[in-house]
């Protein structure tokens, strides 16, 4: 069944001039059939450059929306439309509007883990790989950063800006505790600890490296260390091990499993390509202002 789904995908990909992009947290079988795997920033850039007519986005809703924002003339397919991001759902355009009435002149830096409608109300977007650079590119000393409070606090600590964080968070990263990290450190005393900026501040304070998912892949590859404690969604263990087979990767916590990132299977990809189901299309009145915020980030 799995083999025939993969064969269908390869055949349809060529016939329909499609490209398959997969986030680093996707299940191994999806990463293995993808044309490109990466973090949110890399996938956005790749989507903006591709000459394929169809982009099959194996990730969650906001990632497919970003591809639609950047490529309005292409068909973007999300093979399981119910794959969302609980953090992105923690801010609505109405809530942001209400906050902006209190601070009408404050620039808004929006993490890409957000809806297209929220991006459309933003000054500029950022990802976990470039938030410091994005914030430093703004002249204002005060910035509203949405929706991730942990990324906002991490970024604030690395810049001279006053950052007002929205109170959103990733339920899977926010649940990692210092006790769990200490326990792993005891079990693997020679290991380096890598953490995603969506983790809490006290957890980030314990990290040897704070990085996006692709940042962690690069860090582990180039480091002389042999063992790494991985403080992010456990899907990243697969590409880490694949890129550095001689090294050892241990999950900081077995509880960091994003159920939305596990919703797409090979059959979903094959069906989506075959029947052109799961299309994600951002309406033009939202796409245009959202595009300005995403494009500003990409051009930095
Ligand atoms: P990256 O951009 O680091 O891949 O992270 C995306 C994400 O959803 C983290 O939870
Ligand atoms: Fe959203 Fe967290 Fe899942 Fe990333 S891991 S997609 S931030 S819920």
């Amino acid at each position: 069944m799995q083999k025939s789904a993969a064969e269908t995908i390869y055949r349809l990909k060529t016939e329909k001039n499609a490209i398959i992009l997969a986030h680093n947290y996707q299940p191994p079988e999806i990463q293995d059939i993808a044309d490109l795997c990466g973090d949110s920033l890399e996938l956005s850039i790749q989507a903006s450059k591709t000459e394929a007519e169809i982009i099959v986005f194996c990730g969650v809703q906001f990632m497919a929306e970003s591809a639609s924002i950047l490529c309005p003339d292409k068909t973007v397919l999300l093979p399981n439309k119910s794959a969302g991001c609980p953090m992105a759902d923690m801010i609505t355009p109405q809530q942001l509007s209400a906050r902006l009435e209190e601070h009408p002149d404050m620039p808004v830096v929006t993490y890409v883990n957000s809806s297209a409608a929220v991006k459309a109300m933003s000054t500029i977007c950022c990802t976990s790989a470039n938030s410091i650079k994005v914030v430093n590119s703004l002249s204002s000393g005060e910035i509203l950063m949405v929706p991730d409070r942990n990324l906002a606090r991490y970024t604030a600590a690395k810049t001279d800006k006053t950052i007002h964080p929205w109170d959103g968070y990733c339920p899977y990263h926010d649940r990692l505790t210092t006790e769990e990290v200490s326990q792993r450190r005891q079990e693997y005393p020679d290991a380096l600890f890598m953490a995603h900026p969506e983790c809490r501040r006290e957890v980030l304070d314990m990290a040897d490296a704070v990085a996006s998912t692709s940042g962690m892949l690069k860090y582990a590859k180039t480091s002389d260390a042999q063992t790494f404690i991985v403080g992010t969604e456990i899907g990243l263990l697969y590409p880490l091990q694949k890129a550095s087979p001689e090294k050892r990767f241990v999950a900081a916590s077995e509880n960091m499993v994003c159920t939305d990132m596990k919703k797409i299977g090979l059959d979903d990809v094959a069906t989506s390509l075959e029947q052109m189901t799961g299309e994600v299309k951002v309406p033009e009145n939202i796409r245009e202002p959202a595009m300005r915020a995403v494009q500003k980030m990409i051009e930095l």
Side-chain angles (χ1 to χ4, degrees):
M1 184 63 172
Q2 294 287 291
K3 185 161 183 280
S4 73
E7 281 168 0
T8 306
I9 294 165
Y10 288 129
R11 176 176 55 79
L12 290 171
K13 220 170 56 142
T14 314
E15 279 174 22
K16 298 195 173 190
N17 187 20
I19 186 171
I20 301 178
L21 303 181
H23 187 263
N24 288 326
Y25 295 155
Q26 285 289 294
E29 62 276 17
I30 297 291
Q31 297 199 32
D32 285 345
I33 53 108
D35 296 293
L36 196 112
C37 298
D39 66 10
S40 306
L41 180 61
E42 291 169 333
L43 294 176
S44 304
I45 292 172
Q46 200 59 33
S48 72
K49 286 187 181 158
T50 184
E51 288 184 357
E53 289 163 66
I54 300 168
I55 300 172
V56 183
F57 216 116
C58 298
V60 294
Q61 177 80 21
F62 77 80
M63 296 180 177
E65 279 190 355
S66 295
S68 169
I69 289 167
L70 287 160
C71 316
D73 301 331
K74 299 188 193 295
T75 303
V76 179
L77 303 176
L78 178 63
N80 184 331
K81 285 273 268 205
S82 74
C85 168
M87 168 156 59
D89 294 340
M90 289 181 191
I91 182 166
T92 64
Q94 294 74 19
Q95 290 167 327
L96 180 53
S97 244
R99 183 73 170 266
L100 285 175
E101 273 174 29
E102 295 164 27
H103 310 281
D105 299 324
M106 207 181 285
V108 182
V109 173
T110 297
Y111 189 26
V112 286
N113 294 39
S114 55
S115 68
V118 167
K119 288 185 178 79
M121 297 171 67
S122 312
T123 312
I124 186 167
C125 286
C126 76
T127 73
S128 58
N130 62 14
S131 64
I132 298 164
K133 195 172 166 187
V134 165
V135 161
N136 281 334
S137 75
L138 300 172
S139 55
S140 171
E142 283 195 69
I143 289 160
L144 175 62
M145 206 162 161
V146 306
D148 187 10
R149 64 188 183 202
N150 291 330
L151 180 69
R153 287 172 190 153
Y154 166 72
T155 309
K158 299 278 175 195
T159 67
D160 294 333
K161 310 279 186 185
T162 301
I163 297 185
H164 302 272
W166 192 263
D167 198 21
Y169 57 91
C170 165
Y172 311 107
H173 286 82
D174 194 68
R175 66 170 57 150
L176 179 63
T177 62
T178 53
E179 289 76 16
E180 286 173 308
V181 178
S182 299
Q183 174 67 32
R184 283 286 190 261
R185 278 212 188 274
Q186 271 179 21
E187 290 164 0
Y188 302 95
D190 297 329
L192 294 181
F193 171 48
M194 306 187 289
H196 195 277
E198 289 176 14
C199 295
R200 288 187 213 166
R201 185 173 24 189
E202 60 271 25
V203 167
L204 296 180
D205 285 345
M206 297 174 78
D208 296 291
V210 176
S212 73
T213 56
S214 288
M216 288 188 201
L217 280 159
K218 288 182 199 111
Y219 181 79
K221 184 99 191 140
T222 51
S223 165
D224 289 335
Q226 285 306 302
T227 309
F228 299 84
I229 300 165
V230 183
T232 193
E233 207 278 335
I234 62 161
L236 192 68
L237 293 175
Y238 178 70
L240 279 167
Q241 200 66 72
K242 201 168 160 181
S244 307
E246 73 291 0
K247 298 187 178 178
R248 181 172 198 179
F249 298 96
V250 187
S253 162
E254 301 298 335
N255 294 328
M256 296 176 80
V257 184
C258 174
T259 45
D260 283 271
M261 277 286 181
K262 312 300 174 205
K263 285 185 173 171
I264 296 173
L266 286 181
D267 287 342
D268 300 310
V269 179
T271 307
S272 173
L273 257 176
E274 200 158 36
Q275 300 173 12
M276 300 301 284
T277 47
E279 184 170 1
V280 173
K281 185 136 190 80
V282 176
E284 206 49 29
N285 63 325
I286 292 177
R287 192 194 74 80
E288 272 192 16
M291 168 83 172
R292 280 195 286 277
V294 175
Q295 198 66 48
K296 256 192 225 166
M297 167 190 84
I298 288 179
E299 281 164 8
L300 273 185

